[in-house]
Amino acid sequence: MVADKLIYSVYFILPVVLLWGAKLAGKKEWHDSLSLEQSKAFLGFLTICIMLHHVGQKTCASWLQPKTRIQQGLGFFVPIGFLCVSMFLFFNGYGLYKSFHSKDNYLKGFVKKRILPIVFMLYATTVIFYIVRLIVGEKMDVQQTLLYLTSIKLCNPYTWYAIVLPFFYLAFYLAFKFIKNDGIAVLVTTAFVVAYMLFGTTIDHNDYWFRGEWWYNCVFLFAVGIIFAKFEDKIISFFKRTYVVLMPLSVALIYPLYLFSRFVCDTFSYYGENWGAPDTVFRRRVCVGAETLVCIDFVLMFLLLGMKIKVGNKFLKFMGKITLEFYLIHGLFVDLFAFNFDGGVVNKIRIHNLLLYVVVVFVLGLISALILKKISPDFAGKKKANSEGCKLSKAS
């Protein structure tokens, strides 16, 4: 049916969303691809891609059963979620380091200002998911309820990022608070990220934390972001000198590296426990190494692109302000209008037209994200600071 083919329009809409209002740098001119404005625009765009990734997992992933529910159209997005999240992790690491060195007393109140907002949003969406699970008819005993409400078992199945990130933030905070040598603090934070990855590879797939490879296959980019920030001047200078080679090379390598990562994952597999492989941990570590390579090239490609093309428009600026909220709440509608809700309950309301499904998820996710943003406590005291700033401005 023609209506079923309309979903392919997203492949034309997305480039327009990214490049609308973009400004091309002249010869020997450069844009700052690491500026807050540019990074927010990139992340706003990638948030939409992550939404399409989750919709794709619910509609056309190869593992779906029964096979009759599979709808073609978003297959491109199914395997690239970890690449999109790698950008978030990179900019998180980069932003922390730059803020630490540019803002006075940045670590003062760090836990309250940087970690608590993430934790709040994690549990706010957890409660919302729990209520919806009850409404759709999922049966759960006291133990299941406790596991859900504590997020030991993910009530909101899209929250691994919000669970992991506070631990990385805390590692950064402790390292830079108690270690006066900057290089050693960077090394310690990087070591924590690597230790987290190594620990993750020792755990079989399960229903709780570290459920699978997506919990650790892109997180090294958090450490890469910090290292990049430390040596930014030298790295950017190198990028400018070699741009004519580096930019096309990063683009040319992305697909071969992706195919290489798929080959490695198919050959070694993250799922060695399924057939009792004695070297399961080793297999996972080989796989995560291959996927880390493609994550690095993916981020590099965006950074190099941003040096010559300044992306940004009102829509991306708007999306960039609600990335966390949208990231954590849109999955509610992905599940609510799919064949079944997470947990197995078959939905009474399913949107069969894939483009309509995407539009509904986006619109309801957007509205919900704005509500969450509005009700979120002012942990950082920004509202008070803005209010005082307005009073001073008027007084002067």
Side-chain angles (χ1 to χ4, degrees):
M1 292 178 63
V2 176
D4 294 331
K5 302 297 182 182
L6 291 175
I7 187 60
Y8 291 98
S9 63
V10 301
Y11 296 100
F12 300 95
I13 294 171
L14 283 177
V16 173
V17 168
L18 178 63
L19 298 176
W20 186 268
K23 298 178 181 178
L24 186 64
K27 188 177 180 180
K28 295 184 179 180
E29 293 180 349
W30 306 96
H31 291 304
D32 182 4
S33 60
L34 292 153
S35 69
L36 183 62
E37 180 184 1
Q38 185 93 319
S39 63
K40 288 289 187 182
F42 278 141
L43 297 183
F45 173 76
L46 291 171
T47 301
I48 299 171
C49 293
I50 289 171
M51 177 197 73
L52 294 172
H53 162 68
H54 290 145
V55 174
Q57 286 183 316
K58 281 287 188 176
T59 58
C60 60
S62 60
W63 59 79
L64 293 176
Q65 296 293 337
K67 294 299 181 183
T68 53
R69 61 185 274 205
I70 292 179
Q71 298 172 270
Q72 301 303 322
L74 295 177
F76 172 81
F77 295 96
V78 173
I80 68 166
F82 75 105
L83 293 176
C84 297
V85 179
S86 68
M87 279 284 287
F88 281 80
L89 289 157
F90 173 86
F91 278 119
N92 273 297
Y94 175 86
L96 287 181
Y97 185 89
K98 297 297 287 188
S99 294
F100 173 73
H101 283 281
S102 62
K103 298 179 180 179
D104 294 335
N105 298 317
Y106 178 66
L107 296 183
K108 184 178 180 180
F110 182 87
V111 173
K112 180 181 178 181
K113 291 184 292 185
R114 300 306 306 269
I115 296 179
L116 283 185
I118 301 172
V119 175
F120 170 82
M121 208 55 63
L122 163 67
Y123 284 104
T125 57
T126 291
V127 171
I128 293 170
F129 262 81
Y130 176 74
I131 293 170
V132 174
R133 283 179 182 275
L134 292 175
I135 292 172
V136 299
E138 182 175 345
K139 306 299 182 184
M140 58 187 85
D141 56 20
V142 174
Q143 181 182 16
Q144 179 81 323
T145 295
L146 290 174
L147 289 172
Y148 271 158
L149 292 180
T150 56
S151 275
I152 293 175
K153 184 173 183 179
L154 300 191
C155 187
N156 177 351
Y158 306 97
T159 52
W160 75 266
Y161 171 76
I163 292 173
V164 171
L165 195 60
F167 287 105
F168 287 176
Y169 275 23
L170 188 60
F172 176 91
Y173 169 73
L174 293 174
F176 282 83
K177 182 176 178 63
F178 295 107
I179 299 173
K180 301 307 177 184
N181 184 291
D182 192 79
I184 295 177
V186 170
L187 185 63
V188 168
T189 309
T190 301
F192 176 85
V193 175
V194 173
Y196 167 88
M197 295 168 66
L198 294 176
F199 176 71
T201 59
T202 66
I203 300 176
D204 291 342
H205 294 80
N206 61 85
D207 292 329
Y208 307 101
W209 283 18
F210 293 92
R211 294 178 66 182
E213 62 278 5
W214 57 93
W215 279 67
Y216 54 81
N217 64 353
C218 63
V219 299
F220 188 65
L221 272 294
F222 180 83
V224 172
I226 294 173
I227 296 168
F228 191 104
K230 180 172 176 59
F231 300 103
E232 180 180 359
D233 291 341
K234 292 180 180 179
I235 294 173
I236 294 297
S237 177
F238 172 76
F239 282 178
K240 290 178 179 179
R241 293 196 309 270
T242 60
Y243 192 86
V244 292
V245 174
L246 207 55
M247 180 69 233
L249 185 62
S250 68
V251 175
L253 283 177
I254 192 69
Y255 190 57
L257 282 175
Y258 169 76
L259 291 179
F260 172 71
S261 71
R262 291 304 91 204
F263 170 76
V264 170
C265 290
D266 289 342
T267 303
F268 288 88
S269 181
Y270 283 109
Y271 292 80
E273 74 268 22
N274 288 352
W275 65 86
D279 54 351
T280 299
V281 174
F282 170 75
R283 288 173 177 270
R284 292 185 188 130
R285 288 174 180 172
V286 173
C287 291
V288 79
E291 293 197 312
T292 296
L293 286 177
V294 71
C295 284
I296 291 173
D297 188 56
F298 181 79
V299 171
L300 175 63
M301 186 175 64
F302 268 88
L303 294 182
L304 291 170
L305 172 71
M307 289 177 68
K308 278 297 180 182
I309 303 176
K310 182 181 180 180
V311 301
N313 49 60
K314 290 183 178 180
F315 175 71
L316 290 180
K317 184 178 181 180
F318 170 71
M319 289 300 300
K321 293 178 179 179
I322 56 169
T323 53
L324 178 63
E325 293 82 5
F326 188 84
Y327 184 103
L328 292 177
I329 196 60
H330 79 272
L332 177 67
F333 307 105
V334 171
D335 273 38
L336 202 54
F337 300 111
F339 175 81
N340 67 302
F341 203 87
D342 180 73
V345 176
V346 176
N347 287 321
K348 296 178 181 179
I349 302 175
R350 178 190 177 191
I351 300 178
H352 290 270
N353 182 277
L354 202 46
L355 182 60
L356 179 61
Y357 180 19
V358 168
V359 171
V360 170
V361 169
F362 176 73
V363 172
L364 294 181
L366 199 63
I367 294 170
S368 300
L370 289 171
I371 294 172
L372 285 171
K373 188 82 171 180
K374 189 73 174 177
I375 67 172
S376 177
D378 186 23
F379 293 105
K382 291 181 179 179
K383 295 176 183 177
K384 182 179 179 181
N386 290 338
S387 175
E388 291 176 350
C390 289
K391 290 177 180 179
L392 288 172
S393 176
K394 290 177 182 179
S396 61

